[in-house]
Amino acid sequence: LYLAAYYQVFKCEKEAGIMKNIKTFFTKYKHAWLLCYGFIYLPWFCYLEKTVTRHYHVMHVALDDFIPFNEYFIIPYMMWFLYVAGTIVFFLFRNKEDYYRICTFLFSGMTISLIICTFFHNGTDFRPAIDPGKNIFSGMVAALYQTDTPTNVFPSIHVYNSIGTHIAIMKSESLKKYPWVRAGSAILMVSICLSTVFLKQHSVIDMVGAAIMAYVIYGIVYGYNWSAEDKKVREKALS
């Protein structure tokens, strides 16, 4: 009886401690509520993946035919998840302003992409046949093809979020003293963008569409901070 009573007391104290820690976390990091956007994006995206299966506009340009398939690009393609999520979590704990900006940037573009795919059904039709037994990378690509349909590709969220994440890192005052982080981010961002076309997940036009959308959203979230020299060049061109 004494042991049972002691166990119940210990259990209650432990649960109270956990609840207190959770309460402390959400009190200190109230801005974490923005991550609830996932409850909007994921169901919407999954709905489109299930409903847009045929009768969609094929995204294709001539340049796509000159880009060879390369299964090794699955590495940066999969690193995208850690790259984006890790940066968001870092800013969540380190810099509230940077956190709000990256969330605003990413979530705005993701929403626009879903709206586009909802009313403009699109996809690709140039995925190659994959031999999963060739190597581990081919196996990973084959698994990717099975879980991710070739639809809802324009504009590419992989490209858009990679650009947005790199912009957030470059704009962060907290990371300006870490040039190796900024350089690594640039390399990873470019690698991820290239992976979307080398894995035949996206058309070049999907990449271009994402870049244009990123440029527009950048002006809204960060503003176009032209240098004095840039302003003179623009003023001269307009005169």
Side-chain angles (χ1 to χ4, degrees), residues 154-229:
F154 179 85
S156 170
I157 289 300
H158 247 70
V159 172
Y160 176 82
N161 279 5
S162 296
I163 295 173
T165 300
H166 180 60
I167 289 173
I169 290 173
M170 294 300 292
K171 286 288 185 179
S172 173
E173 291 292 333
S174 305
L175 295 175
K176 281 190 175 179
K177 56 184 177 181
Y178 300 106
W180 60 272
V181 173
R182 292 152 64 92
S185 173
I187 294 171
L188 184 55
M189 183 267 291
V190 172
S191 299
I192 292 172
C193 292
L194 291 176
S195 74
T196 63
V197 292
F198 277 96
L199 291 178
K200 300 300 179 180
Q201 279 288 90
H202 288 277
S203 165
V204 171
I205 196 171
D206 303 332
M207 182 190 296
V208 173
I212 293 173
M213 184 168 69
Y215 178 80
V216 174
I217 300 298
Y218 172 85
I220 298 172
V221 177
Y222 294 97
Y224 299 111
N225 296 321
W226 302 93
S227 65
E229 185 177 349

Side-chain angles (χ1 to χ4, degrees), residues 22 41 48 73 91 115 119 141 147 157 187 196 223:
I22 293 174
Y41 179 81
L48 291 174
F73 272 96
F91 288 136
I115 293 173
F119 295 100
V141 175
T147 56
I157 289 300
I187 294 171
T196 63

Side-chain angles (χ1 to χ4, degrees), residues 32-239:
W33 70 269
L34 277 175
L35 299 181
C36 292
Y37 173 75
F39 294 110
I40 298 174
Y41 179 81
L42 290 176
W44 192 350
F45 178 78
C46 290
Y47 168 77
L48 291 174
E49 287 286 282
K50 291 180 179 178
T51 55
V52 183
T53 56
R54 56 183 180 176
H55 304 305
Y56 54 79
H57 181 81
V58 176
M59 309 304 293
H60 180 268
V61 291
L63 184 57
D64 294 323
D65 300 328
F66 293 95
I67 300 175
F69 170 80
N70 189 312
E71 69 270 21
Y72 297 106
F73 272 96
I74 190 64
I75 298 174
Y77 188 88
M78 298 306 293
M79 288 181 68
W80 174 83
F81 296 95
L82 181 62
Y83 178 51
V84 176
T87 304
I88 291 175
V89 171
F90 173 80
F91 288 136
L92 168 66
F93 293 109
R94 290 295 299 272
N95 191 304
K96 187 186 295 186
E97 182 179 353
D98 288 337
Y99 169 79
Y100 276 127
R101 284 184 171 181
I102 189 174
C103 285
T104 302
F105 190 102
L106 300 187
F107 300 165
S108 296
M110 291 162 71
T111 302
I112 292 172
S113 177
L114 289 176
I115 293 173
I116 291 173
C117 292
T118 299
F119 295 100
F120 173 59
H121 296 173
N122 58 81
T124 61
D125 63 352
F126 46 63
R127 282 182 173 182
I130 302 294
D131 177 13
K134 179 183 177 182
N135 53 49
I136 187 173
F137 305 106
S138 294
M140 292 172 67
V141 175
L144 173 66
Y145 282 4
Q146 287 182 346
T147 56
D148 188 15
T149 70
T151 58
N152 309 306
V153 296
F154 179 85
S156 170
I157 289 300
H158 247 70
V159 172
Y160 176 82
N161 279 5
S162 296
I163 295 173
T165 300
H166 180 60
I167 289 173
I169 290 173
M170 294 300 292
K171 286 288 185 179
S172 173
E173 291 292 333
S174 305
L175 295 175
K176 281 190 175 179
K177 56 184 177 181
Y178 300 106
W180 60 272
V181 173
R182 292 152 64 92
S185 173
I187 294 171
L188 184 55
M189 183 267 291
V190 172
S191 299
I192 292 172
C193 292
L194 291 176
S195 74
T196 63
V197 292
F198 277 96
L199 291 178
K200 300 300 179 180
Q201 279 288 90
H202 288 277
S203 165
V204 171
I205 196 171
D206 303 332
M207 182 190 296
V208 173
I212 293 173
M213 184 168 69
Y215 178 80
V216 174
I217 300 298
Y218 172 85
I220 298 172
V221 177
Y222 294 97
Y224 299 111
N225 296 321
W226 302 93
S227 65
E229 185 177 349
D230 290 332
K231 287 181 179 179
K232 289 180 181 179
V233 171
R234 289 191 302 122
E235 289 172 359
K236 186 177 180 180
L238 292 172
S239 61

